[in-house]
């Protein structure tokens, strides 16, 4: 377990998965991906378990989920340590992700039994109603960037509504996924929750299985599109929470230092490896000089104070650096950062790049790294137009003192979530639906319970009784 590899790949060649610590390059472990028989077996067992689990009283399903949440809470430090070793996420952030998962499981344990259909107003002599029914076997396919919280949301909502789950965690943190399954599954009857280890080929094999009634994918847009095509052949229902290329508009009149703090948080938190990271910054000319100066100071501070973890692996770092280099070749200017540091692991500095345009990769592609990419604009109208001109539609943030501009942002930006005057945050109970290349369906919140079920309408008339 202390062997150091020359490079630090998270290699998944579908014969062996090798995981190295992104901080040091040290080997964490190797795993063998599930083979075809194991995938078939997991799907078949889940389908068998589904029958009686779907008929279990929702309150009992909620109790089981609450019990699973408590087990996870008891093992928060262990899972956070494992997450840090496999993904490089700082320990406190990793622990926060595990506790977010615990909270989500508890939320669905409460909401699940309350999830209901409705009474319908038909003929007074008849009974008409609609009821939600579980779909069957749900393939839950998750990424590495917040592995426990994301998996818990999808697993919790699926299980509490009476589905059986086959979970395929990311090949970049398979030990986290495997351990999560070991901790959660004993709370449910056998085979209600199964975990499969493997990379893209394992995921592709899973989603092609006829037993799978629904696929819930959180991950990249390219994968989401592949899954949607595969599901078109099997008829499985799909929800996709995919990539983002979120804009941040910095309007005239805001405090540039505060705006720079917001931009830095949005760009550098989790080293930029969040689906709703700030990816494109449009700053009004009136505040641009002071904003960029303050953003550069923020970037230096984030790199030097230890707040920035490494990128998940060298493959990711190479991709982030490629996007930056190609953008520079097209005329962008790096003011801070932008160089690969010496030493083991996959660290990358907080970077500020200006003079960006829509054709540059840092603006046109999702950049999963700590890069704050800036373009100056001369009006709010131009900012809204540029921010809207993108194939993704996950979220957007606007920093503005103007109520009119805030309202226009909410109305005009073609994204699932609009945030005004805060890059992160939101009330519990929100369910957002991504647009465009960012996916489809509700991946979290109360509406995820609707996604995990199908509505059946029932009409009960009165029989004529034989005389
Ligand atoms: P990814 O799509 O490469 O991998 C995610 C999962 O899909 C993994 O388990 C992987 O093995 C599996 N997979 C890969 N190919 C597959 C296939 N052909 N069929 C079935 N499964 C397959 O994504 P990633 O790199 O792990 O995660 C980063 C991406 O996830 C970013 O684009 C990020 O924006 C996105 N993300 C989105 C959200 C959201 O809520 N919108 C949240 C977190 C991450």
């Amino acid at each position: 377990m202390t062997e150091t590899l020359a490079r630090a790949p998270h290699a998944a060649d579908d014969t062996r998965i090798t995981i190295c610590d992104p901080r040091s390059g040290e080997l964490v472990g190797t795993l063998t991906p599930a083979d075809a028989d194991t995938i078939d077996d997991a799907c078949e067992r889940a389908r068998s378990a589904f029958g009686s689990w779907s008929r279990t009283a929702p309150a009992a399903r909620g109790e089981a989920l609450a019990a699973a949440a408590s087990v996870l809470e008891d093992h928060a430090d262990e899972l956070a340590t494992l997450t840090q070793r496999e993904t490089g996420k700082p320990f406190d952030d990793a622990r926060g992700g595990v506790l977010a998962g615990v909270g989500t499981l508890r939320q669905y344990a409460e909401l699940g039994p309350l999830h209901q259909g409705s009474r319908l107003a038909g003929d007074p002599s008849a009974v008409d109603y609609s009821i939600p029914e579980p779909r069957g076997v749900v393939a839950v396919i998750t990424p590495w960037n917040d592995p426990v919280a994301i998996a818990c949301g999808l697993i919790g909502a699926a299980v509490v509504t009476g589905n059986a789950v086959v979970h395929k965690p990311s090949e970049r943190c398979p030990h986290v996924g495997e351990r999560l399954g070991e901790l959660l599954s004993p709370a449910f009857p056998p085979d209600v929750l199964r975990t499969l280890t493997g990379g893209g080929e394992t995921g592709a094999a899973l989603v092609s299985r006829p037993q799978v009634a629904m696929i819930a994918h959180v991950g990249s847009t390219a994968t989401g599109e592949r899954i949607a095509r595969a599901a078109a052949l099997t008829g499985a229902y799909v929800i996709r929470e995919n990539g983002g290329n979120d804009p941040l508009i910095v309007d005239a009149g805001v405090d540039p230092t505060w705006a720079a703090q917001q931009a830095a948080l949005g760009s550098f938190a989790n080293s930029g490896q969040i689906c709703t990271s700030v990816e494109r910054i449009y700053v009004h000319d009136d505040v641009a000089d002071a904003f960029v100066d303050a953003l550069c100071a923020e970037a230096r501070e984030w790199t030097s104070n230890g707040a920035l973890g490494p990128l998940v692996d060298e493959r990711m770092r190479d991709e982030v650096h490629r996007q930056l280099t190609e953008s520079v070749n097209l005329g962008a200017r790096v003011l801070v950062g932008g160089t690969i540091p010496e030493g083991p692991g996959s660290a990358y500095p907080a970077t500020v790049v200006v003079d960006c345009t829509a054709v540059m990769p840092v603006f046109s592609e999702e950049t999963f790294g700590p890069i704050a990419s800036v373009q100056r604009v001369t009006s709010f109208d131009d900012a809204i137009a540029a921010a809207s001109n993108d194939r993704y539609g996950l979220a957007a943030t606007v920093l503005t003192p103007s109520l009119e501009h805030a309202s226009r942002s909410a109305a005009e930006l073609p994204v699932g979530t609009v945030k005004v005057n805060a890059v992160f945050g939101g009330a519990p109970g929100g369910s957002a639906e991504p647009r465009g290349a960012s996916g489809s369906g509700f991946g979290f919140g109360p509406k995820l319970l609707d996604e995990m079920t199908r509505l059946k309408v029932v009409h009960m008339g009165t029989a004529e009784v034989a005389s």
Side-chain angles (χ1 to χ4, degrees), residues 292-314:
V292 169
D293 284 349
L295 184 57
C296 289
E298 284 286 331
R300 290 189 195 95
E301 176 66 15
W302 273 75
T303 302
S304 63
N305 72 7
L308 208 63
L311 296 182
V312 68
D313 57 20
E314 291 194 16

Side-chain angles (χ1 to χ4, degrees), residues 117-130 457-460:
S118 55
R119 179 192 161 274
L120 303 170
D123 184 334
S125 67
V127 177
D128 289 87
Y129 58 93
S130 67
V457 171
V458 180
H459 168 76
M460 257 188 241

Side-chain angles (χ1 to χ4, degrees), residues 141-145 168 171 203-204 218-220 223 241-243 275 366:
I141 301 183
T142 52
W144 51 270
N145 63 327
K168 213 295 286 166
E171 62 275 26
V218 179
S220 67
T223 300
E241 306 303 311
N242 291 159
C275 54
E366 181 181 40

Side-chain angles (χ1 to χ4, degrees), residues 374-393:
V374 183
Q375 181 183 106
R376 296 170 77 118
V377 290
T378 52
S379 70
F380 185 73
D381 283 349
D382 284 354
I384 286 274
S388 304
N389 181 24
D390 192 62
R391 73 188 187 108
Y392 292 95

Side-chain angles (χ1 to χ4, degrees), residues 30 34 41 78 83 105 118 120 175-176 178 191 199 219 226 229 240 245 256 285 288 320 326 359 420 439-440 454:
T30 59
D41 183 58
E78 178 199 339
T83 303
L105 291 176
S118 55
L120 303 170
H175 296 95
V176 173
E178 203 174 53
D191 301 323
R226 264 179 227 123
R229 282 194 288 274
R240 298 191 288 122
N245 194 22
D285 262 340
V320 166
E326 284 184 18
V359 298
V420 177
S440 61
R454 285 180 302 193

